[in-house]
Amino acid sequence: EMVKRAISSGQGSYVPNLQLNSGRGEFSYFPLATQGVLIKPVPVLQGEQKAPAAIVLGTDTVRGFTPKDQAWVSTIAEKLSVTAKMASSPIADGTSSSPAS
């Protein structure tokens, strides 16, 4: 639910104390000792449609992600988005429509 909401809104989400959050079950793929979760959507286009993608990180410390950490993850998400866009461009897959010389 939280990951889907972050992807659809385009806004990241930070749960600094997962033990106090009712959405703990959503993150069952993390170890039980996980204390906080950071979610950053990664805007990825597949053709004309937006593909759902996000970076989901866990920490073993309450309030374990600093503002600097969050900014770093945002930068990585942007870089992943740009890389995915470049990889899906016609030039990247060899189907450029430019005339041959």
Side-chain angles (χ1 to χ4, degrees):
E1 182 70 27
M2 290 178 70
V3 175
K4 288 179 185 176
R5 194 169 42 240
I7 290 170
S8 65
S9 72
Q11 298 291 318
S13 181
Y14 177 38
V15 182
N17 191 343
L18 195 55
Q19 307 309 320
L20 299 177
N21 189 290
S22 60
R24 173 72 173 115
E26 179 178 352
F27 303 103
S28 60
Y29 45 85
F30 280 123
L32 291 176
T34 302
Q35 300 293 311
V37 174
L38 178 63
I39 305 164
K40 289 291 180 185
V42 179
V44 176
L45 291 177
Q46 287 183 334
E48 297 295 317
Q49 293 188 332
K50 192 173 169 184
I55 297 172
V56 183
L57 300 172
T59 178
D60 64 352
T61 306
V62 172
R63 290 181 292 282
F65 293 110
T66 66
K68 189 174 182 178
D69 295 329
Q70 294 174 52
W72 182 80
V73 173
S74 292
T75 300
I76 297 298
E78 289 172 24
K79 290 192 178 293
L80 286 172
S81 179
V82 169
T83 301
K85 184 185 236 183
M86 288 172 49
S88 66
S89 74
I91 294 171
D93 66 13
T95 60
S96 175
S97 60
S98 62
S101 314

